[in-house]
């Protein structure tokens, strides 16, 4: 009986569905049971493998919750572009023929520039979390949305790191494609704002076409240059090849600085364990990783990742962005339905006129609800695995931030964070969002870094270029006063006080300065200093070290350092240590000095008495009175002289 009732119910439901389709054929078509979404990736890449697992996990989670799409199913169709731009384009065309409401991808910015034109025509939103080219303007490509932090912010972070460590010049090594090239252009602009610059740009073939010979040729050039700070902006296959060649050339040793873009952090997160040779070649490098704040949802997803991926690959932040991107589309579609919208497609009249061609272009149709779906995506406000998901007016995710990673012997360690809110810090960015932005130099902090070669002291950042010549430093080959400067007989070695001062100054330089000493003179007589200085002015020599006096004629043709030996007449006296007491002031008054002083008083008094005796009554009287008068007069006279002199 129960089986009969079940069959009757099924027949009734089928009859109702058929009747609904006959009476409301358009409504049945406009509300399909499956919402098609396409995804275009190279599945052999790290991000392709991670995204494939994460997007399927998001699809299952969405379909397990009937409240999201009202009982409809979301289907994410995957297309492997296999590093080929042509296959990416073919995949996009196939998706456009099957009523696809949105496409996740493409993986590279090269194809994003191309497919965005197709999306603009057919009103199908493109959402990518890996094509992060700063040149993909929403004004030119309105249907393209970047669902991960744009590379503009990554370049700002690198520029602030360079400025923080006090380096003035960097060398950029990058793959010659749209994303990496435009990223370096952006880096150049951000460095210029901080009074730094890119001294050389080394281009490599687009990933993965770079060969060892290509890398070797560029790194050999860089070895001859003065800058030792190298920014590597590429993808994983080319990036690991660059580090491998750099290791073989000795460019991962003391003195070098390597800063890699986010590709290196994806290798560290998703490839475990690293091959020993790979781990050894990247040791000491700095890299960035998109920062995703900690949350319970994120921890739960990480805990089930091994089950989802069958242990085939480790999770990196772009897997979290892939998961959130699928959810953004699902929420936008749900909102479209709630707004009374439908999923419908209409033919493009311009394509109908081309039906006589072999290409089935008439199958491509315009998504009628594409503009509204795009608007819903841009206005998304949700909290995903990557944290709060919001877009600002420029279509950038709000509060983009990065972890700063330092590769070490045991793997890697985190040395700080960068956020667009407050710059460099050693505390998670989300703790600073509630405070006012503070980008002052005193507020920028990073933990200590282990540099290439195991050094913990910050490298100077550049050396004197090997393709330049040594400084020619002339020294006078003197005969006299050889303590100042002299040439050791039979050798090219020079020594003396002036040489010691020069070597001490060289050690204080923040970079290496190669030089060689050139003796001037025959060694039998002192050379002409005017001729020596004239040769410096003429460019024969680059500088001079010696006891060369600073005189007017010489200062007119060359520059001198500050004098380190005082010239002129001096008094040389023996030094005798004596004890101090209240009567120390009387030491200069020897018995002879006292006798001379007394005689001086008597002579002055006698002269005054002789002049005043005949005319002044005060100078008359008994001898005693006259002596008292003379002494009183001398006292007053000396007092007057003392007051006058002071």
């Amino acid at each position: 009986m129960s089986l009969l009732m079940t069959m009757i119910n099924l027949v009734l439901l089928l009859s109702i569905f058929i009747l609904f389709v006959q009476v409301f054929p358009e409504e049945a078509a406009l509300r399909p049971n499956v919402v098609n979404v396409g995804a275009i990736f190279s599945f052999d890449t790290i991000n392709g493998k991670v995204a494939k697992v994460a997007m399927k996990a998001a699809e299952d989670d969405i379909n397990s919750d009937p409240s999201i799409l009202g009982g409809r199913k979301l289907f994410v169709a995957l297309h492997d572009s296999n590093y080929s731009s042509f296959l990416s384009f073919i995949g996009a065309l196939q998706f456009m023929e099957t009523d696809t409401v949105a496409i996740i991808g493409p993986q590279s910015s090269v194809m994003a520039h191309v497919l965005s034109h197709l999306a603009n025509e057919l009103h199908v939103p493109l959402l990518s979390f890996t094509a992060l080219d700063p040149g993909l303007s929403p004004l030119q490509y309105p249907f393209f949305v970047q669902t991960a932090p744009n590379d503009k912010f990554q370049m700002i972070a690198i520029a602030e790191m360079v400025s923080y460590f006090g380096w003035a010049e960097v060398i950029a090594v990058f793959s010659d494609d749209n994303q990496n090239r435009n990223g370096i252009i952006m880096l150049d602009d951000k460095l210029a704002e901080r009074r730094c610059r890119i001294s050389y740009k080394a281009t490599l073939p687009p990933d993965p076409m770079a060969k060892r010979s290509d890398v070797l040729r560029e790194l050999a050039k860089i070895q001859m240059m003065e800058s030792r700070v190298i920014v590597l902006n590429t993808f994983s296959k080319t990036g690991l090849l660059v580090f491998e060649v750099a290791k073989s050339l000795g460019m991962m040793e003391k003195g070098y600085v390597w800063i890699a873009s986010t590709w290196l952090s994806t290798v560290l997160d998703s490839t475990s364990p690293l091959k020993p040779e790979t781990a050894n070649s990247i040791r000491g490098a700095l890299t960035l990783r998109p920062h995703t704040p900690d949350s319970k949802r994120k921890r739960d997803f990480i805990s089930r990742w091994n089950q989802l991926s069958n242990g085939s690959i480790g999770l990196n932040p772009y897997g979290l962005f892939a998961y959130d991107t699928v959810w953004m589309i699902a929420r936008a579609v749900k909102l479209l339905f709630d707004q009374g919208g439908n999923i419908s497609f209409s033919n493009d009249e311009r394509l109908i006129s081309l039906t006589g061609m072999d290409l089935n272009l008439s199958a491509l149709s315009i998504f009628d609800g594409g503009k509204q779906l795009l608007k819903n995506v841009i206005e998304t406000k949700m909290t995903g695995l990557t944290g709060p998901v919001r877009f600002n007016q420029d279509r950038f995710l709000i509060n983009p931030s990065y972890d700063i990673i330092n590769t070490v012997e045991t793997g890697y360690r985190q040395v700080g964070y960068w956020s667009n809110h407050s710059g460099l810090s050693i505390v998670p960015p989300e703790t600073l969002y509630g405070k006012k932005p503070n980008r002052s130099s005193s507020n920028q902090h990073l933990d200590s870094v282990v540099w290439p070669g195991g050094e913990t002291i910050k490298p100077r950042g550049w050396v004197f270029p090997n393709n330049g010549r040594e400084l020619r430093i002339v020294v006078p080959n003197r005969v006299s006063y050889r303590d100042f400067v002299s040439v050791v007989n039979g050798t090219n070695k020079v020594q003396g006080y002036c040489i010691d001062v020069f070597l001490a100054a060289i050690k204080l330089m923040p970079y290496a300065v190669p030089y060689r000493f050139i003796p001037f003179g025959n060694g039998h007589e002192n050379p002409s200093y005017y001729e020596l200085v004239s040769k410096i002015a003429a460019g024969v020599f680059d500088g001079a070290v010696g006891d060369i006096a600073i005189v007017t004629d010489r200062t007119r043709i060359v520059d001198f350092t500050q004098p380190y030996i005082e010239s002129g007449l001096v008094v040389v006296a023996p030094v005798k240590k004596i004890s101090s007491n209240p009567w120390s002031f009387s030491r200069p008054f020897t018995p002879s000095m006292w006798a001379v002083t007394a005689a001086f008083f008597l002579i002055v008094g006698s002269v005054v008495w002789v002049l005043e005796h005949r005319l002044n009554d005060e100078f008359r009287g008994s001898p005693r009175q006259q002596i008292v008068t003379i002494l009183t007069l001398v006292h007053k006279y000396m007092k007057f002289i003392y007051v006058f002199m002071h």
Side-chain angles (χ1 to χ4, degrees):
M1 184 67 179
S2 59
L3 178 61
L4 179 62
M5 292 299 297
T6 302
M7 293 180 64
I8 293 173
N9 289 334
L10 289 174
V11 171
L12 289 174
L13 289 173
L14 181 61
S15 301
I16 293 173
F17 176 75
I18 294 173
L19 179 63
F20 177 79
V21 171
Q22 291 176 346
V23 177
F24 305 104
E26 294 183 359
E27 287 294 326
L30 294 178
R31 292 187 175 272
N33 290 326
V34 178
V35 177
N36 293 314
V37 175
I40 303 174
F41 281 86
S42 296
F43 294 153
D44 191 39
T45 63
I46 291 177
N47 285 339
K49 294 176 182 178
V50 171
K52 182 178 179 180
V53 176
M55 288 187 292
K56 279 302 180 182
E59 175 189 315
D60 294 339
D61 292 345
I62 291 169
N63 291 333
S64 64
D65 186 352
S67 65
I68 303 298
L69 295 177
R72 303 174 188 83
K73 297 296 183 182
L74 179 74
F75 177 67
V76 180
L78 303 175
H79 176 79
D80 185 6
S81 61
N82 196 25
Y83 297 101
S84 170
S85 298
F86 175 72
L87 292 180
S88 295
F89 188 75
I90 294 300
L93 290 176
Q94 290 175 342
F95 288 143
M96 299 296 185
E97 292 177 356
T98 55
D99 296 345
T100 299
V101 299
I103 295 177
I104 302 175
Q107 186 170 351
S108 69
S109 295
V110 176
M111 282 311 301
H113 285 269
V114 177
L115 297 185
S116 291
H117 293 288
L118 184 62
N120 292 347
E121 292 295 327
L122 302 180
H123 296 177
V124 176
L126 284 176
L127 291 82
S128 180
F129 49 87
T130 54
L132 305 174
D133 181 2
L136 288 165
S137 166
L139 296 177
Q140 186 177 5
Y141 308 108
F143 276 83
F144 181 77
V145 181
Q146 294 171 329
T147 59
N150 184 280
D151 275 354
K152 166 187 175 181
F153 302 103
Q154 183 178 191
M155 296 305 140
I156 295 176
I158 293 176
E160 291 197 1
M161 289 166 60
V162 171
S163 177
Y164 172 82
F165 288 112
W167 300 312
E169 294 185 357
V170 304
I171 292 175
V173 181
F174 60 98
S175 295
D176 196 14
D177 56 53
N178 285 12
Q179 179 163 336
N180 293 296
R181 186 190 314 113
N182 290 339
I184 293 300
I185 293 174
M186 180 64 67
L187 175 63
D188 204 2
D189 293 341
K190 298 306 176 182
L191 286 172
E193 293 176 5
R194 293 157 178 81
R195 298 187 179 183
C196 306
R197 71 185 186 96
I198 297 177
S199 59
Y200 178 72
K201 297 178 181 178
T203 57
L204 300 173
D207 188 84
M209 294 186 293
K211 299 178 181 178
R212 186 181 182 87
S213 58
D214 301 322
V215 176
L216 186 62
R217 181 177 60 253
E218 290 299 330
L219 293 188
K221 294 179 185 177
I222 294 172
Q223 265 192 312
M224 303 296 290
M225 299 176 184
E226 62 187 25
S227 179
R228 286 293 182 264
V229 182
I230 304 170
V231 176
L232 181 55
N233 191 36
T234 180
F235 298 112
S236 58
K237 289 198 173 183
T238 300
L240 292 177
L241 177 60
V242 170
F243 276 118
E244 178 187 335
V245 176
K247 179 69 176 178
S248 66
L249 293 176
M251 298 177 67
M252 294 303 297
E253 301 299 328
K254 177 182 177 181
Y256 282 91
V257 175
W258 287 84
I259 302 176
S261 51
T262 55
W263 68 267
L264 181 54
S265 66
T266 63
V267 172
L268 296 172
D269 289 332
S270 297
T271 307
S272 180
L274 288 174
K275 296 179 180 178
E277 56 271 21
T278 300
N280 193 40
S281 66
I282 64 175
R283 190 177 303 164
L286 287 174
T287 185
L288 299 175
R289 175 172 60 195
H291 176 70
T292 55
D294 186 35
S295 66
K296 184 179 184 304
R297 287 192 62 197
K298 177 182 172 181
R299 291 193 299 270
D300 292 342
F301 186 77
I302 293 174
S303 65
R304 65 188 182 106
W305 176 259
N306 284 336
Q307 180 182 356
L308 294 171
S309 64
N310 293 322
S312 60
I313 193 167
L315 176 64
N316 66 52
Y318 291 104
L320 304 179
F321 284 110
Y323 183 91
D324 283 353
T325 299
V326 177
W327 271 92
M328 289 172 61
I329 295 174
R331 289 177 180 273
V333 171
K334 178 181 184 300
L335 184 58
L336 177 67
F337 289 148
D338 294 342
Q339 293 167 339
N342 296 301
I343 296 178
S344 63
F345 295 83
S346 57
N347 294 327
D348 190 334
E349 296 179 357
R350 292 170 296 180
L351 297 178
I352 294 176
S353 61
L354 302 176
T355 53
M357 302 178 64
D358 293 335
L359 296 175
N360 188 23
L361 297 179
S362 60
L364 302 177
S365 53
I366 299 174
F367 179 25
D368 297 327
K371 290 185 178 180
Q372 185 60 44
L373 181 64
L374 175 67
K375 183 174 182 293
N376 293 345
V377 168
I378 296 172
E379 294 177 353
T380 295
K381 293 182 179 180
M382 73 177 199
T383 300
L385 299 182
T386 59
V389 179
R390 308 278 193 283
F391 291 96
N392 62 18
Q393 59 184 3
D394 297 320
R395 287 202 196 174
F396 294 141
L397 289 173
I398 62 170
N399 297 327
S401 55
Y402 294 89
D403 301 336
I404 301 176
I405 305 299
N406 179 208
T407 57
V408 293
E409 186 174 1
T410 56
Y412 64 87
R413 54 192 286 267
Q414 191 161 323
V415 296
Y417 305 88
W418 177 89
S419 70
N420 196 45
H421 182 75
S422 296
L424 303 173
S425 68
I426 56 176
V427 297
E430 55 269 19
T431 63
L432 301 174
Y433 293 149
K435 304 176 182 178
K436 292 183 179 180
N438 187 350
R439 289 183 166 273
S440 62
S441 58
S442 61
N443 198 52
Q444 306 299 298
H445 299 289
L446 288 178
D447 287 331
S448 60
V449 176
V450 178
W451 305 100
E455 287 291 309
T456 55
I457 300 175
K458 184 200 74 173
R460 291 174 175 174
W462 69 288
V463 296
F464 203 88
N466 291 333
N467 58 353
R469 59 178 178 82
E470 295 176 319
L471 291 179
R472 299 162 299 181
I473 306 298
V474 61
V475 294
N477 190 4
R478 293 187 55 89
V479 177
S480 60
Y481 298 107
R482 294 175 61 84
D483 289 337
F484 287 105
V485 60
S486 63
V487 179
V488 179
N489 293 333
T491 68
N492 293 325
K493 182 181 178 181
V494 294
Q495 60 186 13
Y497 176 75
C498 297
I499 301 300
D500 293 340
V501 172
F502 175 79
L503 296 178
I506 286 292
K507 290 180 180 179
L508 295 176
M509 297 291 286
Y511 46 84
V513 180
Y515 60 88
R516 59 189 175 96
F517 292 119
I518 303 175
F520 182 76
N522 56 21
H524 301 295
E525 58 182 358
N526 292 334
S528 169
Y529 278 51
Y530 181 79
E531 183 181 353
L532 183 151
V533 172
S534 298
K535 287 185 177 294
I536 297 174
V540 178
F541 304 116
D542 298 310
V545 176
D547 55 335
I548 305 171
I550 304 174
V551 297
T552 304
D553 290 343
R554 297 172 187 171
T555 58
R556 291 172 180 163
I557 56 176
V558 296
D559 293 325
F560 285 88
T561 65
Q562 290 294 319
Y564 51 86
I565 298 179
E566 292 291 341
S567 61
L569 298 176
V570 296
V571 176
V572 180
V575 177
K576 181 180 179 182
K577 186 176 180 181
I578 56 178
S579 59
S580 177
N581 58 68
W583 294 97
S584 297
F585 73 92
S586 64
R587 287 200 183 99
F589 293 91
T590 62
S592 300
M593 186 66 178
W594 284 112
V596 170
T597 303
F600 177 77
F601 271 86
L602 293 175
I603 292 171
V604 171
S606 299
V607 171
V608 174
W609 180 83
V610 170
L611 295 176
E612 296 290 337
H613 175 69
R614 292 176 298 170
L615 302 176
N616 194 335
D617 294 340
E618 294 183 2
F619 285 83
R620 296 175 184 176
S622 63
R624 180 185 176 186
Q625 289 179 338
Q626 293 185 42
I627 291 173
V628 172
T629 301
I630 290 172
L631 294 176
T632 303
L633 180 63
V634 171
H635 177 263
K636 291 181 178 180
Y637 176 75
M638 295 303 295
K639 185 177 181 181
F640 170 77
I641 294 297
Y642 176 81
V643 173
F644 177 78
M645 294 299 293
H646 290 77

